[in-house]
Amino acid sequence: MSNLDVRPSAERCGGEAATGPVRDLLTGRTVPLGESTVVRRLLPTLGRRMVGAWCFVDHYGPDDIADEPGMQVPPHPHMGLQTVSWLHEGEVLHRDSLGSLQTVRPRELGLMTSGRAISHSEESPRTHARLLHGAQLWVALPDAHRNTEPHFEHHPDLPRVTAAGQGLDATVILGTFAGATSPGTTYTPLMGADLTLRQGTRTAVPLEPDFEYAVLTMAGRTEVDGVPLDPGAMLYLGCGRRELPLRADTDASLLLLGGEPFAEELVMWWNFIGRSGEEITRAREDWETGTRFGEVHGYDGARLHAPELPALPLKPRGRVR
Ligand code: MN
């Protein structure tokens, strides 16, 4: 997915991570994505740019797209990050400048590492399921790996953790959760897990005290550490926890995201992550002149143009603001 803002602001990522447990409700904002999709953007948001290396979280749907084109995100570039496509309903067809052509289905991991440069498109296939429901996430690459070779991974069989009798079923998206590890490549200590809770479940899941965490409710009525969380809302939890109490008043599903607080300052603008304004300016020029980011073949439509850079110089920022 892409940041399709026509006038994106420079995103400040960084500052101080919470040093202990907190319960900060992050109310997302609604952002149009192309002509036919609306997403709720949970990260970056006011007062919170990152959770570990997770630096972008969009939640969309469930939308009835039976008579609609669904998601149509034309070719656009990325730099300095990984994209994670995560679906509960529907399918997304991924094409990229490496020649990858992959349909990603519910609870399969589509993981694209942009490294120094890649471009891709994402679309609902012409023949698609009635419902589209998912999340699009970005992971910032650390300085030591941000110029790595671009590559795309598709992992259809992710490890699952089932707590028999507790009404909890987890799929490990990235990193390690409850002793199970995803095959997806990571470059910083982080994790992501999809938790399915049966109605009436009261349980607690294990956390790493050195990680900061956030939870996004994908569906159902839940309480996370005592805080009621509607679908599409995210709760930032801070650090210093060994477990997280969960309760489901209906059948529900949650995305748990965590990681070691990301210490490096970043410049995040449009679909690029760099370390200086000059780097971002160069990336924008390279995309507009058709160099470095390659070409996506087979997408029925024109590629995206980069928006104008803001008048003020882009400066590196920390992870809070
Ligand atoms: Mn994208």
Side-chain angles (χ1 to χ4, degrees):
M1 190 168 301
S2 166
N3 182 349
L4 297 182
D5 282 2
V6 282
R7 233 174 285 152
S9 56
E11 301 294 359
R12 301 185 72 113
C13 305
E16 294 300 307
T19 51
V22 296
R23 289 178 290 190
D24 291 344
L25 194 60
L26 306 182
T27 51
R29 61 196 167 98
T30 302
V31 178
L33 184 83
E35 289 176 7
S36 50
T37 311
V38 169
V39 303
R40 283 170 296 286
R41 182 149 305 154
L42 284 315
L43 276 185
T45 189
L46 205 61
R48 175 65 42 197
R49 298 297 184 199
M50 301 182 78
V51 176
W54 299 100
C55 60
F56 187 93
V57 176
D58 274 354
H59 174 238
Y60 54 91
D63 293 327
D64 186 336
I65 59 164
D67 302 316
E68 314 258 347
M71 181 185 293
Q72 299 295 328
V73 182
H76 59 276
H78 284 294
M79 170 179 88
L81 56 89
Q82 294 174 291
T83 65
V84 173
S85 302
W86 190 251
L87 288 169
H88 275 192
E89 304 273 1
E91 54 282 290
V92 169
L93 177 60
H94 164 98
R95 306 173 193 268
D96 66 38
S97 52
L98 309 173
S100 313
L101 177 65
Q102 181 65 55
T103 302
V104 179
R105 296 192 163 80
R107 293 186 169 81
E108 299 179 352
L109 173 61
L111 175 64
M112 185 179 80
T113 302
S114 79
R116 54 188 171 75
I118 200 168
S119 55
H120 74 149
S121 63
E122 291 159 295
E123 63 198 287
S124 297
R126 196 153 297 170
T127 305
H128 53 249
R130 168 174 286 272
L131 293 179
L132 179 63
H133 182 203
Q136 179 73 16
L137 311 115
W138 295 356
V139 177
L141 292 171
D143 196 45
H145 295 286
R146 68 195 182 96
N147 291 315
T148 192
E149 286 301 304
H151 60 275
F152 179 76
E153 300 169 42
H154 177 233
H155 299 288
D157 292 309
L158 293 170
R160 292 175 71 163
V161 179
T162 301
Q166 285 186 43
L168 173 73
D169 188 20
T171 305
V172 187
I173 302 168
L174 275 182
T176 298
F177 174 74
T181 300
S182 161
T185 306
T186 56
Y187 296 90
T188 53
L190 88 169
M191 64 75 63
D194 186 293
L195 312 179
T196 300
L197 280 65
R198 240 190 355 254
Q199 178 175 9
T201 296
R202 279 167 180 68
T203 187
V205 295
L207 301 183
E208 298 288 334
D210 294 343
F211 281 16
E212 56 179 346
Y213 288 90
V215 167
L216 166 70
T217 297
M218 295 284 287
R221 284 182 42 213
T222 59
E223 266 189 34
V224 177
D225 194 20
V227 179
L229 217 53
D230 289 328
M234 193 154 126
L235 188 70
Y236 175 72
L237 296 159
C239 300
R241 295 169 182 267
R242 294 188 182 277
E243 61 170 32
L244 181 64
L246 300 175
R247 178 179 141 167
D249 295 330
T250 63
D251 287 349
S253 54
L254 302 168
L255 270 191
L256 174 66
L257 304 174
E260 264 183 19
F262 196 85
E264 298 170 23
E265 295 209 326
L266 306 174
V267 182
M268 184 168 160
W269 181 82
W270 195 43
N271 295 302
F272 303 129
I273 294 181
R275 296 299 185 276
S276 69
E278 293 73 25
E279 234 180 87
I280 299 290
T281 303
R282 206 158 50 240
R284 184 191 175 282
E285 278 171 17
D286 285 350
W287 172 247
E288 288 300 295
T289 56
T291 48
R292 183 170 22 153
F293 293 95
E295 212 176 318
V296 178
H297 295 285
Y299 183 82
D300 185 16
R303 64 193 215 134
L304 284 181
H305 276 291
E308 291 301 319
L309 286 161
L312 292 171
L314 298 171
K315 289 184 181 156
R317 311 290 170 123
R319 59 188 170 253
V320 177
R321 281 204 57 75

